[in-house]
Amino acid sequence: MCAIGGLIDYQNTHPWNDAVIKNMINSMIHRGPDQEGICQNNHCLLLHRRLTVIDEEHGKQPMVFSQNNSEYTMVYNGELYNTQELRKELKSAGYDFSGHSDTEVVLKAYLCWGKSCVEKFNGIFALGIWNSKTQELFLARDPMGVKPFFYAENQGKFIFSSELKTILASGYIEAQADLNTIGEILLMGPGRTPGCGVFKGIKELKPGYYGILSAQGLKTTQYFKLEDAPCTDTFEEAVAKTRFLVTDSIERQLISDVPIGTFLSGGLDSSIISAVAAKHMQERGKTLETFSVFYRDNEKYFKPGKFQPNSDHDYIDIMVKHLGCKNHKIYIDTEELVEALFSAVDARDLPGMADVDSSLLLFSQEIKNHVTVGLSGECADEIFGGYPWFRDKSIRESEGFPWAQSTKWRSSFLNDELNAKIDAEAFVKTRYENTAKLADLTATNFENKDDTTAKKMMHLNMVWFMQTLLDRKDRMTMYSGLEVRVPFCDKRIAQYLYTMPWAYKDHKCYEKGLLRESVQGMLPSEILWRKKSPYPKTHNPGYLNAVSQRLSDVISDPNAPILSLVKKESLENLTKTTLETPWYGQLMTVPQTIAYFLQVNYWLKKYKVKIVE
């Protein structure tokens, strides 16, 4: 995994500014601590920082190859999981290879198949390829949006990067917030509208898109989306195919030249991945390393709830014994969890999921002491229908984002001036409708409301909620140079499951029933039929007290940046409320909402965000 960045300026006829290069490349070091690469000519500057995972010698970037009197230069962040098949196909087409890196395969796939190469890739990627002959930049992002790609156009320059901070480091884009930015932060956050970089003037290349930049501008094209199709498989056939797709995806993602491990919570998704990985390791005479996160004194204060019915401890122990793996239990203290809220903003460049972010950041720092690559269970819930809102009838039958039914409450925090300028209900409704109408239902029987609703819900979750979690996973882990792969986020799995009848997914009225049935015999029964429990959060009342006190301290300063957007009395009431109103998803209730406002204030101050019209 790596960080990529670049500047294209069709008016540039002189050497690039050394300070610009230094600022941009230095902003990328955390993502790529192992190697640095810079390539520049009159119109194109390409930057790369590398975290070495496969083929240290022959995977260096920017990678250059000449063909048909043109020089092609590529920067690439990602991993291909069908490298061997593509290399074999490319060899038969006459291409030779100097090493075994997937980077070389990606570049030569583009030379062989052009822009259609992305349709052949099974993997996660963000890339840019400069053609010296045509003076064009080809850019692309993986189908599921696992790897980030931001860009901006200003002062005749096209700037792109893996993270927002690199674009800001160029000096050509200021950290500005307009009404749209404020709406994204306070009405949608920590989610983001697809294609939106939140800061004014910064955009995101959407998942499943490629683009071609020329002197005439950027033209983007969608090459992947979920397509509806009749399901002709019996339930038994669906079970067998799901088992194959899931295990195949996990096994492909275990390839690495550096130490690798798995996240293990004792839940269904991480346990499946760990079971396949442990078997893979055992066949090679190795022991799998697994990693589990805990909060100091959490058992003392844990109370079962609707979304978190039980604690992970016992289930992790069951899986460790079952797998014979080496488990690392990592404990996080309340104070360091609070302190890391601000490092999490540094990592994401935006306010995020509060301690849900900061805990992963701290967790990842410890994991990096043992392995360089980890596998995690994200995305199974979006694809297999695991979230509570897939089954809650009142939510299923209502319009709007199921994980954020709180627009009225959110808008109550806006100061009077902003409330007069932003129609909160319309802001959110427009984004919901723009997404919902794009769900492909061409093969769906509309008389079956469950199937229609389930497909709409899956589409909505993958475009919005899943992207928030993928943002979290990428930024919090790469902040410590830890590469984390997400095997369930495989385009083959997503496409196949999109066509499944809801009755298959809801087998035995269990969330992810089809997935559970497909891994029969792989897991202990206590794990196989364990009720879904989300990523663990702290239940220590000391956390609520700490963030409440910090927010009170912040708003006691009349010059606090947050007060330019939010009513002081609303924040004061938030620190005193006994209501458990959710801000976002299952995990962000009052303590996390307070922490989110702390992050917003820090973000405005740290990034010197200028409020503009």
Side-chain angles (χ1 to χ4, degrees), residues 11 15 19 40 74 95 151 158-159 181 183 217 219 225 227 292 324 326-327 332 334 344 393 448 480 500 537 578 598:
Q11 305 304 315
Q40 54 183 312
M74 181 179 76
Y95 288 89
Y151 68 93
F158 180 88
I159 314 143
T181 303
K219 182 180 179 181
K225 65 177 181 178
E227 295 181 346
S292 307
K326 180 181 180 181
N327 182 244
I332 298 174
T334 296
K393 186 176 180 181
N448 188 328
S480 298
M500 286 296 100
K537 69 176 184 178
T578 57
L598 282 175

Side-chain angles (χ1 to χ4, degrees), residues 287-335:
T287 300
L288 174 69
E289 294 196 62
T290 61
F291 301 87
S292 307
V293 64
F294 300 98
Y295 301 92
R296 199 74 65 187
D297 295 327
N298 224 31
E299 290 297 293
K300 180 179 177 181
Y301 298 106
F302 178 80
K303 293 181 180 178
K306 179 180 179 181
F307 296 137
Q308 212 148 15
N310 43 47
S311 176
D312 290 337
H313 280 78
D314 293 343
Y315 296 95
I316 290 170
D317 291 341
I318 290 170
M319 277 305 297
V320 170
K321 183 178 180 180
H322 177 71
L323 298 176
C325 61
K326 180 181 180 181
N327 182 244
H328 302 266
K329 291 182 171 65
I330 296 169
Y331 287 85
I332 298 174
D333 288 321
T334 296
E335 187 55 36

Side-chain angles (χ1 to χ4, degrees), residues 533-606:
S533 187
Y535 179 86
K537 69 176 184 178
T538 182
H539 294 270
N540 192 328
Y543 179 79
L544 175 59
N545 295 336
V547 293
S548 296
Q549 184 59 55
R550 289 207 178 206
L551 186 59
S552 295
D553 292 343
V554 164
I555 61 179
S556 67
D557 177 4
N559 296 315
I562 189 72
L563 297 180
S564 65
L565 307 179
V566 173
K567 289 183 287 194
K568 181 178 180 179
E569 57 269 28
S570 295
L571 296 177
E572 289 173 335
N573 292 336
L574 178 63
T575 63
K576 301 170 184 175
T577 186
T578 57
L579 299 175
E580 281 295 296
T581 307
W583 179 267
Y584 190 87
Q586 308 163 74
L587 299 178
M588 290 186 70
T589 53
V590 169
Q592 289 72 36
T593 305
I594 294 170
Y596 183 75
F597 280 112
L598 282 175
Q599 289 190 318
V600 172
N601 186 73
Y602 174 81
W603 173 72
L604 290 166
K605 187 175 182 179
K606 167 71 183 291

Side-chain angles (χ1 to χ4, degrees), residues 215-232:
Q216 286 71 49
L218 174 67
K219 182 180 179 181
T220 61
T221 302
Q222 186 174 20
Y223 70 87
F224 176 84
K225 65 177 181 178
L226 295 178
E227 295 181 346
D228 202 8
C231 177
T232 58

Side-chain angles (χ1 to χ4, degrees), residues 286-447:
K286 298 180 181 180
T287 300
L288 174 69
E289 294 196 62
T290 61
F291 301 87
S292 307
V293 64
F294 300 98
Y295 301 92
R296 199 74 65 187
D297 295 327
N298 224 31
E299 290 297 293
K300 180 179 177 181
Y301 298 106
F302 178 80
K303 293 181 180 178
K306 179 180 179 181
F307 296 137
Q308 212 148 15
N310 43 47
S311 176
D312 290 337
H313 280 78
D314 293 343
Y315 296 95
I316 290 170
D317 291 341
I318 290 170
M319 277 305 297
V320 170
K321 183 178 180 180
H322 177 71
L323 298 176
C325 61
K326 180 181 180 181
N327 182 244
H328 302 266
K329 291 182 171 65
I330 296 169
Y331 287 85
I332 298 174
D333 288 321
T334 296
E335 187 55 36
E336 64 177 336
L337 187 64
V338 175
E339 285 296 328
L341 286 169
F342 310 109
S343 297
V345 176
D346 295 339
R348 196 191 270 257
D349 298 316
L350 295 167
M353 298 184 75
D355 54 272
V356 184
D357 274 12
S358 62
S359 61
L360 180 57
L361 184 143
L362 294 168
F363 188 32
S364 299
Q365 287 176 352
E366 292 299 318
I367 294 173
K368 184 61 192 288
N369 293 328
H370 303 275
V371 299
T372 302
V373 178
L375 271 65
S376 183
E378 270 81 3
C379 308
D381 289 309
E382 290 85 354
I383 292 170
F384 286 92
Y387 290 122
W389 47 77
F390 275 91
R391 335 197 114 57
D392 188 314
K393 186 176 180 181
S394 63
I395 295 179
R396 281 165 60 90
E397 294 179 353
S398 64
E399 296 290 303
F401 297 109
W403 51 84
Q405 303 274 306
S406 55
T407 302
K408 186 176 181 180
W409 184 54
R410 284 172 175 250
S411 65
S412 71
F413 287 92
L414 291 171
N415 63 33
D416 293 340
E417 182 183 355
L418 290 174
N419 245 324
K421 293 180 179 179
I422 301 174
D423 184 336
E425 294 291 342
F427 190 95
V428 175
K429 183 180 180 182
T430 298
R431 282 153 178 75
Y432 166 75
E433 291 177 344
N434 287 345
T435 304
K437 69 183 181 183
L438 296 177
D440 184 359
L441 302 172
T442 52
T444 300
N445 178 3
F446 286 90
E447 293 181 4

Side-chain angles (χ1 to χ4, degrees), residues 189-253:
R192 286 189 293 113
T193 299
C196 173
V198 182
F199 290 100
K200 182 182 179 182
I202 301 182
K203 299 178 182 178
E204 172 192 51
L205 185 65
K206 295 178 185 178
Y209 275 73
Y210 68 77
I212 298 175
L213 177 74
S214 68
Q216 286 71 49
L218 174 67
K219 182 180 179 181
T220 61
T221 302
Q222 186 174 20
Y223 70 87
F224 176 84
K225 65 177 181 178
L226 295 178
E227 295 181 346
D228 202 8
C231 177
T232 58
D233 288 349
T234 64
F235 179 73
E236 289 71 23
E237 290 169 335
V239 166
K241 188 167 183 178
T242 298
R243 185 183 180 100
F244 167 76
L245 288 172
V246 168
T247 54
D248 182 68
S249 180
I250 297 168
E251 288 169 353
R252 286 176 181 272
Q253 297 190 30

